[in-house]
Every structure is written in C-alpha cells, then in structure tokens.
Amino acid sequence: MLELLTDPQVWIAFATLTALELVLGIDNIIFIAILVDKLPPANREFARRAGLFMAMFMRIGLLLVLAWIVGLVAPLFTVFDQEISGRDLVLILGGLFLIWKSTTEVHQSLEGEHEHKSSAVKATFASVILQIVLIDMVFSLDSIITAVGMVDDVRIMIAAVIASVLLMMLFAGPIGRFVSNHPTIKMLALAFLVVVGVVLVAEGFGHHVPKGYVYFAMAFSVAVEMLNIRMRKKAAKAVKLHPPRMPGD
C-alpha cells in the first residue's frame, strides 16, 4: 500500500480517472436535479444525496465484478448484421428510457402550471429514487467500462469513483437549484439529456459518438443562455426617472 501511495504514476492515473468520472457524471447530476425537482423542497436534498450515493455504490459494485463486466461485451445476438452484446442492450434500453423521460418532462413543462402541479403530486419519493437507480445503472456501466480501459488497478478505480462522487455532491445542490430556478436552463438540460440518450442508443448499435462534442455544444448553449439571463435581469430593473426640469434650470 505504501508503495502504491508513493508512486507518481498512481496519482496521475487517480487524478485523470477522477476528472473523467466527474465529466461523465455531469449528465447524471442534471438528470437527478430534474427528477428531485418534482419532490417537496424538504425532501429534495436527501433524494439528491441518496441518488449520488447509490451511483457510487453501484459503480463500486460493478468494479468488484469486473469478470461479469467483461462478459457483457460478448455478443448475444445479431440485428441487421450488427452484433448486440449485454452492454449494448443496456445502453440501448437506457438511452430509450432517457429519451422517453426527457421528452415527457418537456411535455409536462410546456403544458402549464396546472399540468405541472398534477404531475408533481404523482411523483413520490420511491418513484423518483427508482428512476434514479435505473439511469444510474446505465451511466455507471458506461463509466466503469471507460475506467477499465484506462486503469488496471481496481483500488485506484474505487478511490477515483469515491472522490468524484464526493466532489459531485458539493456541486449537485447548487446545480439542482439553479436548474430549478431557471426554466430556460431546465429546457436546455432536458434537450441535452435527449441528445445523451440518442448517443447511448447509437453506441449500443456500434456507432461511437465522442461525448466531447455533446458536452461542448451544451457548454456553449449554457454560456449563451447565461448572457441572456444577465441581459433580462438588466432589462427588468426599474427605469430611474429624473425629476422634471423647468426651463432655465
């Protein structure tokens, strides 16, 4: 263990993998933020932390069954000359679930306040947690397969996963509140999740799409929307009226 801690290559691998896990966890944070927004304010923080904790334990559990993960890559059947493995099946189903859920959220957001209230009543703590678990499974599988390709030591992987989730917990609250308080940002986030779902389905069918393109497009859109929010705030400020002046003043 001492030799592991004093090896600079280990620290480089740990830092790289932690940063990668943070980047791959952005879509997970956004999804959790949108889901917990349906709960009463008193339950949102607990649900957010519970969701991230489950993501952490799920990733650690997957790391401990690496033999099973490797077995998921083996083809199960063929569709249109394309071999589909267990991993591909999880990505396809997870991507379709993400597309369906994001589209449903967009529909509910556009239906108005009455529809939003009726849907919020139906959202229970258990249903929100169940949806978080389902999407955690997809994101965790994708993240762990990436980690396995980068690092050989399971201990480094587990440490990076724990560090990344703890860092995500620091930012999940502010990100969630910001998304909840700005409807336009929420719509951008839902559009981003639809694109992520399409990317997952495409990867399931063997078409690799670098997520860097998706993240760059989302970052650019958010930057533009931040400028729009700032301009709207300036325009909303009351105009300061000067007292009338008499001729000769």
Side-chain angles (χ1 to χ4, degrees):
M1 178 62 70
L2 185 60
E3 183 180 351
L4 189 70
L5 293 175
T6 55
D7 188 354
Q9 296 295 327
V10 169
W11 287 103
I12 293 173
F14 169 75
T16 304
L17 191 55
T18 301
L20 180 66
E21 291 289 328
L22 280 173
V23 172
L24 292 175
I26 290 174
D27 37 21
N28 205 357
I29 290 176
I30 293 174
F31 185 80
I32 291 175
I34 292 172
L35 280 182
V36 301
D37 196 39
K38 289 178 168 291
L39 295 173
N43 296 339
R44 291 175 187 172
E45 191 62 31
F46 177 74
R48 189 179 293 115
R49 292 182 180 274
L52 288 172
F53 262 118
M54 284 188 295
M56 180 179 71
F57 288 117
M58 193 169 294
R59 293 182 185 188
I60 293 175
L62 289 174
L63 283 172
L64 297 177
V65 288
L66 286 178
W68 178 71
I69 296 292
V70 173
L72 284 178
V73 184
L76 295 177
F77 53 89
T78 303
V79 178
F80 300 116
D81 297 328
Q82 175 65 44
E83 294 181 340
I84 304 296
S85 64
R87 170 187 177 271
D88 296 333
L89 202 58
V90 171
L91 292 179
I92 292 170
L93 294 177
L96 291 174
F97 172 75
L98 200 56
I99 294 171
W100 169 77
K101 185 61 184 177
S102 302
T103 305
T104 304
E105 291 292 333
V106 170
H107 172 73
Q108 291 178 353
S109 298
L110 295 177
E111 281 297 314
E113 186 178 356
H114 175 72
E115 178 71 18
H116 179 71
K117 285 182 178 178
S118 63
S119 65
V121 171
K122 296 177 185 177
T124 62
F125 186 85
S127 67
V128 168
I129 292 297
L130 178 60
Q131 292 178 70
I132 291 175
V133 169
L134 289 175
I135 209 62
D136 273 348
M137 186 182 301
V138 179
F139 288 141
S140 296
L141 184 64
D142 196 27
S143 172
I144 292 308
I145 290 174
T146 304
V148 170
M150 288 186 59
V151 181
D152 296 327
D153 197 318
V154 177
R155 294 172 294 180
I156 300 175
M157 296 181 196
I158 293 176
V161 166
I162 294 174
S164 63
V165 171
L166 291 177
L167 288 173
M168 280 191 281
M169 284 184 178
L170 293 177
F171 300 109
I175 291 175
R177 287 186 290 271
F178 183 77
V179 170
S180 178
N181 294 333
H182 296 83
T184 53
I185 293 293
K186 183 176 180 179
M187 294 301 294
L188 276 177
L190 288 169
F192 167 66
L193 290 175
V194 170
V195 174
V196 172
V198 173
V199 169
L200 290 176
V201 173
E203 288 196 0
F205 283 105
H207 301 284
H208 177 66
V209 181
K211 281 191 176 181
Y213 294 126
V214 180
Y215 292 141
F216 174 78
M218 186 62 188
F220 179 78
S221 301
V222 170
V224 172
E225 186 55 33
M226 293 294 290
L227 293 175
N228 288 333
I229 290 174
R230 188 173 180 181
M231 290 179 64
R232 286 195 294 267
K233 284 183 178 179
K234 285 186 177 181
K237 290 181 179 178
V239 179
K240 186 177 181 181
L241 299 178
H242 295 282
R245 294 185 178 184
M246 300 298 293
D249 287 356

